Amino acid sequence: MSDRYQDLAHNPIGKFLVKNLGLPNPPYLERYEGGPLVQGSVLTGSATQGDVAKAVTAALKALKVEATGVPAQGKRYKGLVFDATGIADAAGLVALQQFFTPVLRQLQGSGRVVVVGTVPEEAGSEGARVAQRALEGFTRSLAKEVGGGSTANLVYLAPGAETSLASTLGFFLSPKSAYVSGQVVRIGTTGITSVTDPVDLEKPLAGKVALVTGASRGLGEADMRTLARDGATVIGLDVPPLEADLKALADELGGGYIVGDITAEDAPATIAAYVKENYGAVDVVVHNAGITRDKRLRNMKPENWQLVVDISVGAPQRITDELLAQGLINEGGTVIGIASIAGIAGNNGQTNYASAKAGVIGWIQALAERVAGDGITANVVAPGFMETEMVKTIPLGIREAGRRMNSMSQGGQPVDVAEAIAWFANPGSGAVSGNVLGVNGQMLLGAS
């Protein structure tokens, strides 16, 4: 759905009004269209005794990103990466100001800021734990300052995960993370600290098989297209009324498809049988299917409560357990749940949906611990206001509030969710597990 206000804000009259009336100014975001991950140079820095500066340099080299550790006066940078692992007490936090203040004006539009720290619980001393936890407040505040479509995100590393940075840096420094800002990601916290870097940077999922539920339209369609772009063979699943759309998409992408209701009693066995017979196993499972049946709790019907919860979290649990029981998720594979900002912040009239989506987070975090020994990861993508067909049904006032109340002053696109899923699915993200990533432009109220 088009954003007419955004277009208005960029014409000459609109620019004048936005500037002089202090109105929201939604920038046009740069999104990935192929080619190099970063179109420009990245400046790196480190606090004294930083642990990962060399790992950052090595990761950027592997990603074929131009990088330097020496700032040049007047030069513009597409990204700024700071190793904050060496900050061991509150006083040492001044290193953040000393690095960023002189160079922030040199950050290009749609630029990227990444701070790398140590998981606070593993920091080693009380002072270090204080300092490392402080990085969250710093990064989220900076994310609200940078503007112009730029983002700022924080990456925490567990001990031993220093060499597992490349995929995550590539995501956060590239246009693939256009609508991801103010987020915190932890690497290596489930015990998986080594990764298999993809052979082909442009096709990191070559040779992989991905299953996507709710695949025929909207977010699911974007997931299918993006995973296929990255080299995966895709299998789409959707309900019988959408079979024609599903088949057309699968045929276009050279993949397979399954028609059925995921809440049916025999759905897990049916899906497992299809995967086993046609592909042997899968590497990526994306539980995208979901519905809303909005009513305030006082008016909620039991069947609408149960259906929403079962589609979002009950059925995905059963399907995943069946695939795992039959050994149909390969080592190095990943399970990705789709939650929502509603599951984090709540939403009026959506107690059923918010409960279901919060449940997705609880399930995936428990699953991440359970399957870590098998070399399988599990993560959550939590979208905010997304520009899908569904928003047409939202009253204008609420729709505009949803668009503007984030650091980007706009709604996200389905591809923004798909890019996050593709990052989680990347073999180089094999140490990224148990995370909840908000794809929401950094919501200003209720959640980060």
Side-chain angles (χ1 to χ4, degrees):
M1 187 173 179
S2 63
D3 186 342
R4 294 181 179 178
Y5 175 83
Q6 183 182 42
D7 293 335
L8 173 65
H10 286 268
N11 70 37
I13 296 176
K15 287 181 180 179
F16 175 83
L17 293 173
V18 164
K19 180 179 180 180
N20 287 278
L21 297 179
L23 298 173
N25 185 16
Y28 289 121
L29 303 183
E30 291 181 9
R31 291 183 167 88
Y32 185 68
E33 296 181 352
L37 284 174
V38 180
Q39 299 280 356
S41 181
V42 171
L43 177 66
T44 64
S46 178
T48 303
Q49 297 182 332
D51 294 330
V52 297
K54 290 182 179 178
V56 168
T57 300
L60 294 175
K61 183 178 180 180
L63 294 166
K64 300 180 180 178
V65 174
E66 177 191 335
T68 178
V70 181
Q73 188 173 1
K75 183 175 176 62
R76 301 278 282 171
Y77 298 101
K78 199 63 176 178
L80 307 172
V81 180
F82 186 74
D83 170 15
T85 58
I87 302 178
D89 53 36
L93 289 167
V94 71
L96 295 165
Q97 183 273 325
Q98 290 171 340
F99 173 74
F100 283 106
T101 298
V103 296
L104 275 175
R105 288 184 176 86
Q106 294 172 251
L107 186 66
Q108 296 179 23
S110 291
R112 299 287 183 263
V113 175
V114 181
V115 177
V116 182
T118 299
V119 174
E121 296 82 0
E122 306 286 346
S125 71
E126 184 174 306
R129 186 166 181 170
V130 168
Q132 294 301 312
R133 182 59 178 80
L135 299 178
E136 294 191 31
F138 171 82
T139 307
R140 286 177 169 144
S141 295
L142 182 56
K144 294 177 179 180
E145 290 185 13
V146 287
S150 296
T151 67
N153 293 284
L154 171 63
V155 178
Y156 278 136
L157 294 175
E162 295 81 7
T163 59
S164 302
L165 262 171
S167 174
T168 300
L169 278 182
F171 175 69
F172 281 127
L173 287 173
S174 77
K176 294 181 178 182
S177 58
Y179 202 59
V180 179
S181 194
Q183 299 301 300
V184 180
V185 168
R186 296 181 172 216
I187 301 179
T189 51
T190 61
I192 306 174
T193 56
S194 62
V195 301
T196 302
D197 290 325
V199 174
D200 187 340
L201 288 177
E202 293 192 8
K203 298 285 184 182
L205 298 178
K208 306 296 184 181
V209 178
L211 170 66
V212 180
T213 69
S216 64
R217 297 178 180 176
L219 298 183
E221 178 185 354
D223 298 345
M224 292 273 282
R225 292 187 181 280
T226 302
L227 292 169
R229 177 204 70 190
D230 282 3
T233 298
V234 289
I235 308 167
L237 185 155
D238 222 320
V239 293
L242 298 176
E243 180 175 0
D245 290 342
L246 179 63
K247 181 180 184 303
L249 179 62
D251 288 347
E252 177 189 344
L253 299 177
Y257 68 97
I258 306 169
V259 178
D261 177 356
I262 62 171
T263 66
E265 185 176 351
D266 63 349
T270 299
I271 294 167
Y274 178 90
V275 167
K276 187 174 184 178
E277 179 179 350
N278 293 278
Y279 300 95
V282 295
D283 302 279
V284 182
V285 180
V286 182
H287 290 292
N288 172 74
I291 63 167
T292 57
R293 293 292 185 270
D294 296 351
K295 288 286 184 182
R296 289 190 174 184
L297 189 58
R298 69 186 72 172
N299 299 318
M300 183 73 66
K301 294 181 179 180
E303 58 269 27
N304 285 342
W305 178 282
Q306 186 58 39
L307 186 62
V308 168
V309 172
D310 202 32
I311 289 176
S312 285
V313 68
Q317 280 183 283
R318 296 191 296 271
I319 292 166
T320 301
D321 285 347
E322 184 68 22
L323 293 172
L324 288 169
Q326 293 195 35
L328 297 178
I329 301 179
N330 288 321
E331 182 178 358
T334 189
V335 178
I336 300 166
I338 305 299
S340 167
I341 191 71
I344 298 172
N347 206 5
N348 186 4
Q350 288 194 319
T351 52
N352 52 355
Y353 185 74
S355 297
K357 294 306 186 180
V360 169
I361 295 172
W363 165 54
I364 288 290
Q365 290 181 329
L367 180 66
E369 297 176 1
R370 174 157 61 97
V371 299
D374 298 317
I376 296 171
T377 62
N379 292 284
V380 176
V381 177
F385 186 97
M386 308 306 297
E387 297 287 357
T388 63
E389 288 297 309
M390 189 184 302
V391 305
K392 292 180 179 178
T393 66
I394 301 175
L396 179 61
I398 298 176
R399 185 192 312 160
E400 283 302 301
R403 281 179 172 143
R404 308 308 162 206
M405 295 179 69
N406 61 71
S407 293
M408 306 295 180
S409 298
Q410 62 193 280
Q413 299 296 327
V415 71
D416 298 324
V417 173
E419 293 285 16
I421 288 170
W423 162 57
F424 280 139
N426 189 314
S429 302
V432 180
S433 194
N435 285 274
V436 181
L437 184 78
V439 182
N440 56 37
Q442 194 185 26
M443 296 292 290
L444 301 183
L445 298 174
S448 64

